[in-house]
Amino acid sequence: MNPIRVVRRAVACSLILLPVTTAPSRAQTSSIAADYQAIADSLIHAATADSAAYLRLGKLVDTFGHRLSGSASLEATIAWVLREMQADGLQNVRGEPVMVPHWVRGAESADLVKPRATPLKMLGLGGSVGTPKSGITAPVLVVTSFDELSRRASEARGKIVLFDEPFTEYTATRKYRSDGPSAAARVGAVACLIRSVATASIRSPHTGQLDYDSTAGKIPAAALSVEDAMMLHRFADRGEPVVVTLRMGARTLPDAPSRNVVAEVVGREKPDEVVVLGGHIDSWDVGQGAMDDGGGAVGAWEAVRLIHRLGLRPRRTVRVVLWTNEENGGKGALAYRDAHAADLARHVLAMESDNGAFNPKGYVLAGSDSAAAVVQQVAGLMQPINATGVQRVDGSPAADITPLAEAGVATMEIDVEGSRYFWYHHSDSDTLDKLDPAELARCVAAMAVMAYAVADLPDALPHAAAP
Ligand SMILES: [Zn+2]
């Protein structure tokens, strides 16, 4: 998780979600419903009539596989998407250059040496340093929390610290992945293991970005499957010495060139005013990145393709952006902000889908009360598929639009039924079959209707704050 993502999760998960309370006037309500319900119905019908987004996502993930920043598969995917968007007839199709971190995993393993020799299911954490070729063999100190590590700091020197913290909620549990390695290094540990950040497990390890603190030494760090972390914990509880050998070939190469994918339906009256929608095109280097975030990226693309295919030309420009490097740097989000710095005041909405393209319930908005009142009316157009909810957060609802939120743009994430998200997140099991074609189609509808209506309203959606 990059720093931006940390902000996003902290915001999305720690704040109380407030239902919109600003009641729209009767005139506004009837006007948006009267002006846009027929078009909304046509977009919903077009999105849900077939499985176009799912089929395209399948083609993408089966052909190119996972897409870590710096990888050939990410750049091949981007090149293919750009060609397909041209073929779709979208306008101003382009790749906007971004330099991205280039971390490679290399060969890796973790083996229990004592009290029983057996391989463990592991994934190195993104950004980790490697071990010497012969690996690191050391006794394991099992702790449940940062507090317990502080209490037992004198026991940690020369050991591999395992944080076996059960999942509570993402923001809290993720801290062991991001901050655990440096906390362990500070008390003299030689390597760090964590229990995978997951809400369910079939012995599948889950990766994700760590965040070395510059004041601590860098030690290798990896996630164990939930089951293996629990077993090591049981050995320790029984007073049996636990010894593990960790081998990791991870290394960080020089930054590599990548691109944000951008395409548009140019507005008919106010082409310089923009509604952005998208997801991230990169993924971790495991599974297929189908859920995180292939579905969000292809879903947003499909929403814009449908607007174009139905011959709809809103007043303002609708722009799909597939950000690069969300997972381990957030450089795509920053590059988009910088490349469009002069235009951010004319960005009326930025919408993202990065919680899995599961059944949509509505929208999560970070914006002003007056923007929320309008968004609530537009959400009412989603009655046919029951996706009319509007929740509000302060800050930003999602990682790649955080720099835009900070610039005052109203930002939004698709609100989905996400109970399965952390079963698959950042693991080998993030594959196409985890998504449902009909649910993805409804996400497409939710994005298409919101993007079209907000792009077409006579008055621009109010900014969240002065940019
Ligand atoms: Zn994601």
mmCIF file of all heavy atoms in Angstrom, residues 232-269:
data_model
loop_
_atom_site.group_PDB
_atom_site.id
_atom_site.type_symbol
_atom_site.label_atom_id
_atom_site.label_comp_id
_atom_site.label_asym_id
_atom_site.label_seq_id
_atom_site.Cartn_x
_atom_site.Cartn_y
_atom_site.Cartn_z
ATOM 1 N N LEU A 232 2.444 -21.341 13.988
ATOM 2 C CA LEU A 232 3.671 -20.895 14.664
ATOM 3 C C LEU A 232 3.330 -20.320 16.044
ATOM 4 O O LEU A 232 4.065 -20.525 17.023
ATOM 5 C CB LEU A 232 4.404 -19.850 13.809
ATOM 6 C CG LEU A 232 5.482 -20.390 12.859
ATOM 7 C CD1 LEU A 232 5.017 -21.553 12.013
ATOM 8 C CD2 LEU A 232 6.045 -19.280 11.969
ATOM 9 N N HIS A 233 2.208 -19.616 16.101
ATOM 10 C CA HIS A 233 1.766 -19.043 17.371
ATOM 11 C C HIS A 233 1.454 -20.150 18.386
ATOM 12 O O HIS A 233 1.803 -20.063 19.571
ATOM 13 C CB HIS A 233 0.529 -18.168 17.135
ATOM 14 C CG HIS A 233 0.321 -17.118 18.176
ATOM 15 N ND1 HIS A 233 -0.393 -15.971 17.956
ATOM 16 C CD2 HIS A 233 0.746 -17.044 19.478
ATOM 17 C CE1 HIS A 233 -0.412 -15.237 19.049
ATOM 18 N NE2 HIS A 233 0.271 -15.868 19.988
ATOM 19 N N ARG A 234 0.828 -21.228 17.910
ATOM 20 C CA ARG A 234 0.508 -22.336 18.831
ATOM 21 C C ARG A 234 1.780 -23.000 19.366
ATOM 22 O O ARG A 234 1.879 -23.327 20.551
ATOM 23 C CB ARG A 234 -0.373 -23.378 18.125
ATOM 24 C CG ARG A 234 -1.784 -22.890 17.818
ATOM 25 C CD ARG A 234 -2.708 -24.064 17.461
ATOM 26 N NE ARG A 234 -2.281 -24.817 16.281
ATOM 27 C CZ ARG A 234 -2.640 -24.538 15.025
ATOM 28 N NH1 ARG A 234 -3.408 -23.478 14.764
ATOM 29 N NH2 ARG A 234 -2.222 -25.289 14.028
ATOM 30 N N PHE A 235 2.766 -23.198 18.477
ATOM 31 C CA PHE A 235 4.040 -23.754 18.946
ATOM 32 C C PHE A 235 4.618 -22.877 20.058
ATOM 33 O O PHE A 235 5.047 -23.374 21.105
ATOM 34 C CB PHE A 235 5.061 -23.826 17.796
ATOM 35 C CG PHE A 235 4.882 -24.998 16.854
ATOM 36 C CD1 PHE A 235 4.823 -24.790 15.481
ATOM 37 C CD2 PHE A 235 4.806 -26.305 17.333
ATOM 38 C CE1 PHE A 235 4.683 -25.854 14.610
ATOM 39 C CE2 PHE A 235 4.666 -27.381 16.455
ATOM 40 C CZ PHE A 235 4.598 -27.161 15.090
ATOM 41 N N ALA A 236 4.616 -21.558 19.797
ATOM 42 C CA ALA A 236 5.203 -20.626 20.775
ATOM 43 C C ALA A 236 4.436 -20.689 22.089
ATOM 44 O O ALA A 236 5.033 -20.685 23.175
ATOM 45 C CB ALA A 236 5.205 -19.211 20.211
ATOM 46 N N ASP A 237 3.095 -20.753 21.997
ATOM 47 C CA ASP A 237 2.279 -20.822 23.217
ATOM 48 C C ASP A 237 2.579 -22.083 24.028
ATOM 49 O O ASP A 237 2.447 -22.093 25.251
ATOM 50 C CB ASP A 237 0.786 -20.803 22.860
ATOM 51 C CG ASP A 237 0.305 -19.412 22.471
ATOM 52 O OD1 ASP A 237 1.066 -18.440 22.684
ATOM 53 O OD2 ASP A 237 -0.810 -19.294 21.937
ATOM 54 N N ARG A 238 2.977 -23.143 23.330
ATOM 55 C CA ARG A 238 3.316 -24.382 24.045
ATOM 56 C C ARG A 238 4.748 -24.379 24.544
ATOM 57 O O ARG A 238 5.234 -25.375 25.071
ATOM 58 C CB ARG A 238 3.088 -25.586 23.122
ATOM 59 C CG ARG A 238 1.609 -25.870 22.832
ATOM 60 C CD ARG A 238 1.399 -27.226 22.168
ATOM 61 N NE ARG A 238 1.886 -27.230 20.797
ATOM 62 C CZ ARG A 238 1.097 -27.155 19.706
ATOM 63 N NH1 ARG A 238 -0.219 -27.059 19.840
ATOM 64 N NH2 ARG A 238 1.625 -27.174 18.509
ATOM 65 N N GLY A 239 5.453 -23.263 24.285
ATOM 66 C CA GLY A 239 6.835 -23.161 24.758
ATOM 67 C C GLY A 239 7.819 -23.933 23.898
ATOM 68 O O GLY A 239 8.955 -24.180 24.316
ATOM 69 N N GLU A 240 7.398 -24.315 22.692
ATOM 70 C CA GLU A 240 8.317 -25.042 21.813
ATOM 71 C C GLU A 240 9.093 -24.029 20.973
ATOM 72 O O GLU A 240 8.486 -23.170 20.342
ATOM 73 C CB GLU A 240 7.531 -25.993 20.900
ATOM 74 C CG GLU A 240 6.736 -27.048 21.672
ATOM 75 C CD GLU A 240 5.886 -27.916 20.750
ATOM 76 O OE1 GLU A 240 6.473 -28.668 19.958
ATOM 77 O OE2 GLU A 240 4.649 -27.829 20.834
ATOM 78 N N PRO A 241 10.425 -24.109 20.967
ATOM 79 C CA PRO A 241 11.211 -23.159 20.166
ATOM 80 C C PRO A 241 10.857 -23.277 18.683
ATOM 81 O O PRO A 241 10.778 -24.386 18.150
ATOM 82 C CB PRO A 241 12.656 -23.580 20.419
ATOM 83 C CG PRO A 241 12.610 -24.418 21.662
ATOM 84 C CD PRO A 241 11.260 -25.066 21.692
ATOM 85 N N VAL A 242 10.616 -22.135 18.051
ATOM 86 C CA VAL A 242 10.258 -22.092 16.628
ATOM 87 C C VAL A 242 11.418 -21.489 15.847
ATOM 88 O O VAL A 242 11.889 -20.398 16.186
ATOM 89 C CB VAL A 242 8.989 -21.233 16.409
ATOM 90 C CG1 VAL A 242 8.606 -21.192 14.936
ATOM 91 C CG2 VAL A 242 7.836 -21.743 17.267
ATOM 92 N N VAL A 243 11.884 -22.189 14.826
ATOM 93 C CA VAL A 243 12.970 -21.683 13.982
ATOM 94 C C VAL A 243 12.511 -21.722 12.525
ATOM 95 O O VAL A 243 11.928 -22.722 12.080
ATOM 96 C CB VAL A 243 14.260 -22.524 14.158
ATOM 97 C CG1 VAL A 243 15.358 -22.035 13.200
ATOM 98 C CG2 VAL A 243 14.748 -22.458 15.607
ATOM 99 N N VAL A 244 12.769 -20.648 11.808
ATOM 100 C CA VAL A 244 12.345 -20.526 10.402
ATOM 101 C C VAL A 244 13.534 -20.102 9.550
ATOM 102 O O VAL A 244 14.378 -19.315 9.989
ATOM 103 C CB VAL A 244 11.192 -19.508 10.264
ATOM 104 C CG1 VAL A 244 11.003 -19.032 8.827
ATOM 105 C CG2 VAL A 244 9.883 -20.094 10.812
ATOM 106 N N THR A 245 13.589 -20.624 8.325
ATOM 107 C CA THR A 245 14.523 -20.110 7.319
ATOM 108 C C THR A 245 13.733 -19.342 6.275
ATOM 109 O O THR A 245 12.802 -19.885 5.672
ATOM 110 C CB THR A 245 15.288 -21.258 6.620
ATOM 111 O OG1 THR A 245 16.086 -21.945 7.581
ATOM 112 C CG2 THR A 245 16.196 -20.705 5.521
ATOM 113 N N LEU A 246 14.094 -18.085 6.076
ATOM 114 C CA LEU A 246 13.448 -17.219 5.090
ATOM 115 C C LEU A 246 14.442 -16.929 3.974
ATOM 116 O O LEU A 246 15.571 -16.515 4.229
ATOM 117 C CB LEU A 246 13.023 -15.907 5.770
ATOM 118 C CG LEU A 246 12.280 -14.874 4.922
ATOM 119 C CD1 LEU A 246 10.911 -15.396 4.482
ATOM 120 C CD2 LEU A 246 12.135 -13.556 5.698
ATOM 121 N N ARG A 247 14.013 -17.203 2.744
ATOM 122 C CA ARG A 247 14.843 -16.870 1.570
ATOM 123 C C ARG A 247 14.036 -15.972 0.650
ATOM 124 O O ARG A 247 12.936 -16.329 0.256
ATOM 125 C CB ARG A 247 15.230 -18.137 0.792
ATOM 126 C CG ARG A 247 16.223 -19.034 1.499
ATOM 127 C CD ARG A 247 16.677 -20.171 0.582
ATOM 128 N NE ARG A 247 17.573 -21.072 1.307
ATOM 129 C CZ ARG A 247 17.152 -22.090 2.070
ATOM 130 N NH1 ARG A 247 15.850 -22.335 2.190
ATOM 131 N NH2 ARG A 247 18.018 -22.844 2.708
ATOM 132 N N MET A 248 14.587 -14.808 0.319
ATOM 133 C CA MET A 248 13.888 -13.869 -0.579
ATOM 134 C C MET A 248 14.875 -13.241 -1.548
ATOM 135 O O MET A 248 15.889 -12.677 -1.129
ATOM 136 C CB MET A 248 13.177 -12.765 0.234
ATOM 137 C CG MET A 248 12.004 -13.284 1.071
ATOM 138 S SD MET A 248 11.268 -11.995 2.128
ATOM 139 C CE MET A 248 10.738 -10.799 0.902
ATOM 140 N N GLY A 249 14.550 -13.332 -2.826
ATOM 141 C CA GLY A 249 15.402 -12.731 -3.870
ATOM 142 C C GLY A 249 14.926 -11.347 -4.283
ATOM 143 O O GLY A 249 15.287 -10.864 -5.365
ATOM 144 N N ALA A 250 14.125 -10.713 -3.433
ATOM 145 C CA ALA A 250 13.519 -9.417 -3.795
ATOM 146 C C ALA A 250 14.570 -8.338 -4.001
ATOM 147 O O ALA A 250 15.584 -8.303 -3.297
ATOM 148 C CB ALA A 250 12.561 -8.992 -2.690
ATOM 149 N N ARG A 251 14.308 -7.468 -4.977
ATOM 150 C CA ARG A 251 15.183 -6.295 -5.131
ATOM 151 C C ARG A 251 14.436 -5.169 -5.844
ATOM 152 O O ARG A 251 13.437 -5.406 -6.527
ATOM 153 C CB ARG A 251 16.469 -6.645 -5.872
ATOM 154 C CG ARG A 251 16.270 -7.168 -7.261
ATOM 155 C CD ARG A 251 17.548 -7.909 -7.716
ATOM 156 N NE ARG A 251 17.595 -8.032 -9.167
ATOM 157 C CZ ARG A 251 16.874 -8.917 -9.868
ATOM 158 N NH1 ARG A 251 16.029 -9.730 -9.264
ATOM 159 N NH2 ARG A 251 16.978 -8.978 -11.182
ATOM 160 N N THR A 252 14.961 -3.973 -5.665
ATOM 161 C CA THR A 252 14.356 -2.793 -6.301
ATOM 162 C C THR A 252 15.280 -2.306 -7.401
ATOM 163 O O THR A 252 16.455 -2.026 -7.159
ATOM 164 C CB THR A 252 14.122 -1.690 -5.252
ATOM 165 O OG1 THR A 252 13.200 -2.187 -4.266
ATOM 166 C CG2 THR A 252 13.532 -0.442 -5.891
ATOM 167 N N LEU A 253 14.753 -2.225 -8.624
ATOM 168 C CA LEU A 253 15.494 -1.779 -9.796
ATOM 169 C C LEU A 253 15.223 -0.283 -10.008
ATOM 170 O O LEU A 253 14.348 0.291 -9.360
ATOM 171 C CB LEU A 253 15.050 -2.598 -11.018
ATOM 172 C CG LEU A 253 15.193 -4.125 -10.858
ATOM 173 C CD1 LEU A 253 14.590 -4.858 -12.055
ATOM 174 C CD2 LEU A 253 16.656 -4.505 -10.683
ATOM 175 N N PRO A 254 15.955 0.338 -10.923
ATOM 176 C CA PRO A 254 15.661 1.756 -11.210
ATOM 177 C C PRO A 254 14.210 1.941 -11.673
ATOM 178 O O PRO A 254 13.621 1.029 -12.271
ATOM 179 C CB PRO A 254 16.644 2.091 -12.347
ATOM 180 C CG PRO A 254 17.748 1.095 -12.197
ATOM 181 C CD PRO A 254 17.122 -0.168 -11.675
ATOM 182 N N ASP A 255 13.645 3.117 -11.416
ATOM 183 C CA ASP A 255 12.278 3.425 -11.846
ATOM 184 C C ASP A 255 12.116 3.131 -13.345
ATOM 185 O O ASP A 255 13.067 3.260 -14.119
ATOM 186 C CB ASP A 255 11.951 4.900 -11.587
ATOM 187 C CG ASP A 255 11.711 5.163 -10.101
ATOM 188 O OD1 ASP A 255 11.746 4.200 -9.302
ATOM 189 O OD2 ASP A 255 11.481 6.343 -9.742
ATOM 190 N N ALA A 256 10.906 2.764 -13.717
ATOM 191 C CA ALA A 256 10.622 2.359 -15.099
ATOM 192 C C ALA A 256 9.528 3.252 -15.686
ATOM 193 O O ALA A 256 8.676 3.760 -14.966
ATOM 194 C CB ALA A 256 10.172 0.900 -15.111
ATOM 195 N N PRO A 257 9.531 3.403 -17.024
ATOM 196 C CA PRO A 257 8.465 4.203 -17.646
ATOM 197 C C PRO A 257 7.152 3.432 -17.713
ATOM 198 O O PRO A 257 7.144 2.242 -18.004
ATOM 199 C CB PRO A 257 9.006 4.487 -19.059
ATOM 200 C CG PRO A 257 10.004 3.410 -19.320
ATOM 201 C CD PRO A 257 10.551 2.972 -17.988
ATOM 202 N N SER A 258 6.056 4.111 -17.410
ATOM 203 C CA SER A 258 4.726 3.550 -17.581
ATOM 204 C C SER A 258 3.818 4.669 -18.076
ATOM 205 O O SER A 258 4.302 5.742 -18.460
ATOM 206 C CB SER A 258 4.224 2.950 -16.262
ATOM 207 O OG SER A 258 2.992 2.271 -16.466
ATOM 208 N N ARG A 259 2.509 4.407 -18.086
ATOM 209 C CA ARG A 259 1.567 5.407 -18.613
ATOM 210 C C ARG A 259 0.239 5.310 -17.874
ATOM 211 O O ARG A 259 -0.196 4.214 -17.516
ATOM 212 C CB ARG A 259 1.293 5.142 -20.103
ATOM 213 C CG ARG A 259 2.467 5.401 -21.014
ATOM 214 C CD ARG A 259 2.341 4.655 -22.329
ATOM 215 N NE ARG A 259 2.653 3.233 -22.165
ATOM 216 C CZ ARG A 259 2.577 2.329 -23.137
ATOM 217 N NH1 ARG A 259 2.171 2.681 -24.344
ATOM 218 N NH2 ARG A 259 2.886 1.058 -22.912
ATOM 219 N N ASN A 260 -0.410 6.470 -17.680
ATOM 220 C CA ASN A 260 -1.834 6.480 -17.372
ATOM 221 C C ASN A 260 -2.579 6.400 -18.697
ATOM 222 O O ASN A 260 -2.234 7.109 -19.649
ATOM 223 C CB ASN A 260 -2.245 7.776 -16.666
ATOM 224 C CG ASN A 260 -1.749 7.848 -15.231
ATOM 225 O OD1 ASN A 260 -1.630 6.827 -14.547
ATOM 226 N ND2 ASN A 260 -1.466 9.058 -14.763
ATOM 227 N N VAL A 261 -3.586 5.550 -18.765
ATOM 228 C CA VAL A 261 -4.397 5.438 -19.977
ATOM 229 C C VAL A 261 -5.549 6.442 -19.887
ATOM 230 O O VAL A 261 -6.261 6.483 -18.880
ATOM 231 C CB VAL A 261 -4.965 4.008 -20.109
ATOM 232 C CG1 VAL A 261 -5.943 3.924 -21.278
ATOM 233 C CG2 VAL A 261 -3.834 3.003 -20.263
ATOM 234 N N VAL A 262 -5.706 7.245 -20.934
ATOM 235 C CA VAL A 262 -6.741 8.292 -20.932
ATOM 236 C C VAL A 262 -7.516 8.228 -22.247
ATOM 237 O O VAL A 262 -6.920 8.056 -23.316
ATOM 238 C CB VAL A 262 -6.097 9.693 -20.776
ATOM 239 C CG1 VAL A 262 -7.157 10.791 -20.814
ATOM 240 C CG2 VAL A 262 -5.297 9.771 -19.477
ATOM 241 N N ALA A 263 -8.841 8.326 -22.169
ATOM 242 C CA ALA A 263 -9.675 8.409 -23.378
ATOM 243 C C ALA A 263 -10.940 9.186 -23.021
ATOM 244 O O ALA A 263 -11.325 9.243 -21.853
ATOM 245 C CB ALA A 263 -10.020 7.018 -23.896
ATOM 246 N N GLU A 264 -11.593 9.758 -24.030
ATOM 247 C CA GLU A 264 -12.690 10.689 -23.754
ATOM 248 C C GLU A 264 -13.866 10.532 -24.700
ATOM 249 O O GLU A 264 -13.726 10.033 -25.812
ATOM 250 C CB GLU A 264 -12.168 12.141 -23.897
ATOM 251 C CG GLU A 264 -11.074 12.492 -22.911
ATOM 252 C CD GLU A 264 -10.443 13.852 -23.183
ATOM 253 O OE1 GLU A 264 -10.609 14.392 -24.304
ATOM 254 O OE2 GLU A 264 -9.779 14.354 -22.262
ATOM 255 N N VAL A 265 -15.019 10.988 -24.203
ATOM 256 C CA VAL A 265 -16.104 11.445 -25.059
ATOM 257 C C VAL A 265 -16.148 12.951 -24.825
ATOM 258 O O VAL A 265 -16.466 13.398 -23.712
ATOM 259 C CB VAL A 265 -17.450 10.780 -24.687
ATOM 260 C CG1 VAL A 265 -18.599 11.432 -25.463
ATOM 261 C CG2 VAL A 265 -17.397 9.275 -24.955
ATOM 262 N N VAL A 266 -15.782 13.707 -25.828
ATOM 263 C CA VAL A 266 -15.611 15.156 -25.654
ATOM 264 C C VAL A 266 -16.980 15.840 -25.542
ATOM 265 O O VAL A 266 -17.904 15.540 -26.296
ATOM 266 C CB VAL A 266 -14.800 15.744 -26.829
ATOM 267 C CG1 VAL A 266 -14.728 17.268 -26.730
ATOM 268 C CG2 VAL A 266 -13.400 15.139 -26.845
ATOM 269 N N GLY A 267 -17.090 16.749 -24.578
ATOM 270 C CA GLY A 267 -18.351 17.430 -24.322
ATOM 271 C C GLY A 267 -18.803 18.317 -25.477
ATOM 272 O O GLY A 267 -17.980 18.889 -26.182
ATOM 273 N N ARG A 268 -20.118 18.434 -25.631
ATOM 274 C CA ARG A 268 -20.651 19.185 -26.774
ATOM 275 C C ARG A 268 -20.690 20.693 -26.521
ATOM 276 O O ARG A 268 -20.631 21.482 -27.450
ATOM 277 C CB ARG A 268 -22.048 18.687 -27.143
ATOM 278 C CG ARG A 268 -23.133 19.000 -26.133
ATOM 279 C CD ARG A 268 -24.524 18.551 -26.636
ATOM 280 N NE ARG A 268 -25.564 19.150 -25.795
ATOM 281 C CZ ARG A 268 -25.991 18.620 -24.646
ATOM 282 N NH1 ARG A 268 -25.491 17.475 -24.220
ATOM 283 N NH2 ARG A 268 -26.934 19.227 -23.952
ATOM 284 N N GLU A 269 -20.780 21.108 -25.262
ATOM 285 C CA GLU A 269 -20.884 22.544 -24.973
ATOM 286 C C GLU A 269 -19.697 23.080 -24.186
ATOM 287 O O GLU A 269 -19.256 24.193 -24.407
ATOM 288 C CB GLU A 269 -22.161 22.826 -24.143
ATOM 289 C CG GLU A 269 -23.396 23.013 -24.971
ATOM 290 C CD GLU A 269 -24.602 23.333 -24.098
ATOM 291 O OE1 GLU A 269 -24.420 23.778 -22.935
ATOM 292 O OE2 GLU A 269 -25.732 23.104 -24.575
#
